[in-house]
Amino acid sequence: GDGVASELSEQTGFPASLITKLWEMWRNRAPPHFTHVVHGGVLPRAGLTAIVRELGVTHALLLESVVRVVAEGAPEGGLDFAHFIRGYAQLQSRTLQQALPF
């Protein structure tokens, strides 16, 4: 709901309107990217990897680094929406140098 959007907005700095729009897309499993969201509103790590690849990150090491940053701390089953948004914000706030393992 709106409370979650405003809370995530405060935590991430993303506009609440953007978070609300992404939440609608997530909930409706909207193509192209959110078709990877499975039953229960969870995005498995394989689905996250597919989204990052679809967004144009094809270099294996960079792909794995981006996925690792976004999924950090997520349960084995995958990411819920809030974890995805926080992970994306974490990716935005880190420099590429910090995100890469070398």
Side-chain angles (χ1 to χ4, degrees), residues 21-79:
K21 182 177 165 85
L22 288 171
W23 167 241
E24 286 297 311
M25 293 169 68
W26 179 282
R27 226 171 31 129
N28 296 319
R29 296 165 63 181
H33 306 304
F34 294 125
T35 55
H36 298 287
V37 175
V38 297
H39 183 70
V42 172
L43 179 65
R45 194 179 170 103
L48 176 60
T49 302
I51 291 172
V52 175
R53 190 179 296 115
E54 288 162 8
L55 292 174
V57 180
T58 54
H59 186 279
L61 196 56
L62 185 56
L63 175 66
E64 183 51 38
S65 295
V66 169
V67 169
R68 192 181 67 243
V69 170
V70 175
E72 195 170 351
E76 197 63 35
L79 297 78

Side-chain angles (χ1 to χ4, degrees), residues 1-20 22-23 26 80-90:
D2 289 345
V4 173
S6 59
E7 186 181 321
L8 284 170
S9 178
E10 283 176 27
Q11 292 172 0
T12 63
F14 296 144
S17 57
L18 172 65
I19 293 170
T20 300
L22 288 171
W23 167 241
W26 179 282
D80 64 10
F81 179 73
H83 199 110
F84 174 77
I85 294 295
R86 288 188 195 106
Y88 184 68
Q90 183 66 22

